Amino acid sequence: MRQRIHQMDRPTSSEVRQELDRVKHGRTYRKTLKSTIYILVTVAAFAVLVATLWMPVLEVYGGSMEPTLQEGELVAAVKSGDFKTGDVVAFYYNNKILVKRVIAGPGDWVDVSKDGTVTVNGTVLDEPYVDELAYGDTNIDLPYQVPDGRWFVMGDHRSVSVDSRNKAVGPVAAEQVVGKLVYTIWPLSQLGSVE
């Protein structure tokens, strides 16, 4: 008795080439995907490092800095220890980060009149960023001399801001400072430098 032997169809050279190309493409795809993931992880780690060490991004809560900053805005701060009158800074206070404006530096004399006019070393401050002057929550003895290594800060919305005028906050020490606010990054309609 004869047995039939079935031969399988042999693939053509173009089918072999297509299969090799498919396998090669799969290897290239996996290699590219792995490389992309490594790059993304590295960039993310670098961004976190920059944000933590040099340029933290903060969200504004409350209305003590209105009209300059509104609640919900995202702002970028630059780590710095050199401030001048008018700079807006973020600092730690009771496990929170507060945002206020530098009014005076170490050794300066600050006085606030009952109508809210602020003088530093006998000179009335020009404060175009304040919509309405107010004496606010003040319980320090005025005039007040700012201690060494500290800054006297106030919110732009003087009637609601609790700041260096109050003994609870007092003048801000260098180790409390997160950084100087330099740029509003969100919402896009408010994109620009912090003045």
Side-chain angles (χ1 to χ4, degrees):
M1 212 166 141
R2 281 190 187 177
Q3 292 186 345
R4 286 187 176 170
I5 299 175
H6 294 282
Q7 289 187 337
M8 293 177 34
D9 291 334
R10 290 187 177 189
T12 64
S13 63
S14 69
E15 289 174 335
V16 170
R17 194 169 295 127
Q18 282 178 347
E19 182 62 20
L20 288 174
D21 287 345
R22 187 185 68 76
V23 170
K24 185 177 176 183
H25 177 71
R27 287 182 188 147
T28 303
Y29 175 77
R30 284 189 295 280
K31 186 177 179 182
T32 303
L33 181 62
K34 189 187 247 185
S35 175
T36 302
I37 289 171
Y38 287 145
I39 290 170
L40 289 174
V41 167
T42 303
V43 168
F46 181 73
V48 167
L49 186 65
V50 166
T52 303
L53 298 178
W54 184 68
M55 192 173 221
V57 174
L58 309 167
E59 183 174 355
V60 176
Y61 290 98
S64 71
M65 282 302 291
E66 292 177 356
T68 305
L69 298 171
Q70 307 295 320
E71 185 166 9
E73 289 182 347
L74 295 180
V75 290
V78 173
K79 298 268 185 171
S80 174
D82 185 32
F83 307 112
K84 64 183 185 311
T85 299
D87 287 346
V88 178
V89 297
F91 60 94
Y92 291 106
Y93 171 73
N94 282 347
N95 295 324
K96 290 190 263 184
I97 295 178
L98 300 182
V99 174
K100 306 292 179 192
R101 189 176 298 274
V102 174
I103 300 300
D108 288 338
W109 284 92
V110 178
D111 199 3
V112 182
S113 66
K114 292 294 180 187
D115 71 355
T117 302
V118 178
T119 58
V120 176
N121 299 324
T123 304
V124 175
L125 284 186
D126 177 29
E127 299 185 286
Y129 41 80
V130 176
D131 280 349
E132 181 183 337
L133 296 176
Y135 189 68
D137 190 3
T138 304
N139 65 6
I140 61 170
D141 294 326
L142 294 168
Y144 178 85
Q145 186 174 27
V146 184
D148 286 341
R150 295 183 177 263
W151 289 268
F152 193 91
V153 297
M154 294 172 71
D156 290 355
H157 193 180
R158 300 285 162 81
S159 60
V160 301
S161 179
V162 177
D163 45 44
S164 293
R165 296 172 292 175
N166 190 293
K167 292 176 185 175
V169 176
V172 177
E175 58 270 9
Q176 290 176 268
V177 176
V178 175
K180 178 170 91 171
L181 275 57
V182 292
Y183 214 73
T184 303
I185 57 176
W186 187 261
L188 294 178
S189 62
Q190 299 299 321
L191 192 65
S193 59
V194 175
E195 300 294 327

